[in-house]
Amino acid sequence: MKFLDQVKVYIRSGNGGGGAVSFRREKYIEYGGPDGGDGGKGGDVWIEAVEGLNTLIDYRYQQHFKAETGGHGMGRNRHGAAGADVVLKVPVGTQVLGEDKETILYDLDQPGMRIRLLKGGNGGFGNAYFKGPINQAPKHANPGQEGEERAIWLRLKLIADVGLVGLPNAGKSTFLAAASAAKPKIADYPFTTLAPNLGVVDLSAGERFVLADIPGLIEGASEGAGIGTRFLGHVERTAVLIHLVDGTQEDVGQAWRIVRHELEAYGEELTDKPEILALNKIDALSEEERQAKAAELAQAAGVPVRLVSGFTGENVTELLREAWALVRRRRGEIVVDEDEETVQETPGGWTP
């Protein structure tokens, strides 16, 4: 399935049905009078966040959506039927933006969220509505109200608990494949990953979370170099970042600085998220090289460095458990007492 995270669509609600001009004329009935029914209401345009979707690809092939026009009124006081609504079903995490592509109108970040984007026009009154003691035989009715229309942008920001960041070919896809059942494309050249991938990490019955892998960042990505920072929006909602650095490259400290600079340039509080720094591909290093590279990276970043190998799975489980603990702490499910250095579980924590 192809990945699509931004799309422009055109929506229009239905027009209201027109009222009817009709008079009751039946044999042997002394009093007739107006009996034109009202028109039906036009259909609304709704948007709904549903589970099971992770792309907006359906909207590449259809960009125009129009709700049904309400039925017209008829004689014998028969009212027109309401027009059918249109429902845009989108993945959880989709934002609705104005035509300027900047104004956020709605953020569907919860499953089942349903929002009315446009309201259908009201149906017009039939001539029976205008009957009165003075005008007992009105010969006019109201037309239905016009529907609304506009263009909107849909932008998807995937819902994940932990995000993977790093330079191209840092081993993020291999790490994702080792940590979950996801099967991303893996190759020995940069930019193998061209779209975000999601995987469900299932360590145990009580340790289950979603891990997101995005395309690698290069120097100048915030200015549009490479794939740019477009896909960083998919880790905005994550609670923790895992920063993978390729241990086989020459300058691991510079590799960390490049990605960190691009995260700062992107903003959106990405640099405020808890980050676990890991030296990847240690299976290709000797013990002396591992220690030297780890010390060099720790000196550049000023934080502890974990040693992992997505290829062999070495230390991957321990790193994932550390990330899950940070996720729970971020959610408030784990309370850390700094004075006593103890960790307390909050009631009603996460359960599978």
Side-chain angles (χ1 to χ4, degrees), residues 55-333:
T55 175
L56 298 171
I57 190 65
D58 293 339
Y59 298 97
R60 169 169 288 176
Y61 308 108
Q62 182 182 0
Q63 293 88 32
H64 295 261
F65 299 88
K66 182 180 183 299
E68 191 176 31
T69 299
H72 299 303
M74 295 174 285
R76 299 184 182 178
N77 290 311
R78 289 175 293 175
H79 291 196
D85 297 338
V86 164
V87 180
L88 307 182
K89 295 188 177 182
V90 296
V92 178
T94 300
Q95 293 180 329
V96 181
L97 286 73
E99 195 168 3
D100 60 1
K101 208 176 179 180
E102 296 180 357
T103 305
I104 299 178
L105 304 177
Y106 307 103
D107 190 355
L108 290 84
D109 58 354
Q110 297 294 331
M113 284 188 66
R114 183 181 172 98
I115 297 171
R116 183 169 63 184
L117 299 177
L118 296 178
K119 181 182 178 181
N122 292 325
F125 293 123
N127 67 335
Y129 177 85
F130 299 101
K131 180 178 65 175
I134 297 176
N135 186 6
Q136 299 186 13
K139 297 182 180 180
H140 67 279
N142 282 349
Q145 289 183 340
E146 290 285 328
E148 305 171 326
E149 63 179 321
R150 68 177 306 174
I152 58 173
W153 281 88
L154 302 179
R155 181 172 66 191
L156 174 61
K157 292 184 178 180
L158 294 175
I159 302 294
D161 300 301
V162 179
L164 292 175
V165 296
L167 290 175
N169 221 29
K172 298 187 297 300
S173 296
T174 304
F175 185 90
L176 178 66
S180 68
K183 297 181 179 179
K185 182 180 179 181
I186 299 173
D188 60 351
Y189 55 84
F191 294 115
T192 306
T193 302
L194 299 177
N197 293 306
L198 288 180
V200 177
V201 178
D202 199 354
L203 298 173
S204 68
E207 297 173 303
R208 185 180 297 116
F209 60 93
V210 179
L211 182 65
D213 165 32
I214 65 168
L217 300 172
I218 64 173
E219 189 171 6
S222 59
E223 301 173 357
I227 301 180
T229 56
R230 169 182 171 183
F231 293 118
L232 278 177
H234 296 291
V235 293
E236 280 185 30
R237 303 181 192 270
T238 59
V240 178
L241 296 179
I242 295 178
H243 187 161
L244 294 182
V245 177
D246 183 358
T248 62
Q249 60 188 6
E250 292 294 330
D251 193 343
V252 292
Q254 180 62 15
W256 174 84
R257 282 188 287 269
I258 290 174
V259 174
R260 195 66 184 176
H261 172 73
E262 299 307 324
L263 294 177
E264 293 173 355
Y266 181 81
E268 301 297 336
E269 301 181 351
L270 285 185
T271 54
D272 296 333
K273 295 181 182 295
E275 181 183 85
I276 301 175
L277 182 59
L279 186 70
N280 195 21
K281 302 184 181 181
I282 61 172
D283 56 284
L285 303 176
S286 64
E287 186 61 32
E288 294 76 11
E289 289 174 327
R290 291 184 182 187
Q291 299 304 322
K293 293 282 187 179
E296 179 185 349
L297 184 56
Q299 182 178 4
V303 296
V305 176
R306 284 72 175 173
L307 302 177
V308 299
S309 172
F311 181 72
T312 63
E314 184 178 353
N315 297 331
V316 169
T317 301
E318 292 78 3
L319 179 60
L320 294 173
R321 283 206 163 93
E322 182 181 354
W324 176 235
L326 289 174
V327 170
R328 298 191 64 191
R329 185 181 305 175
R330 186 88 167 184
R331 292 177 178 174
E333 297 174 6

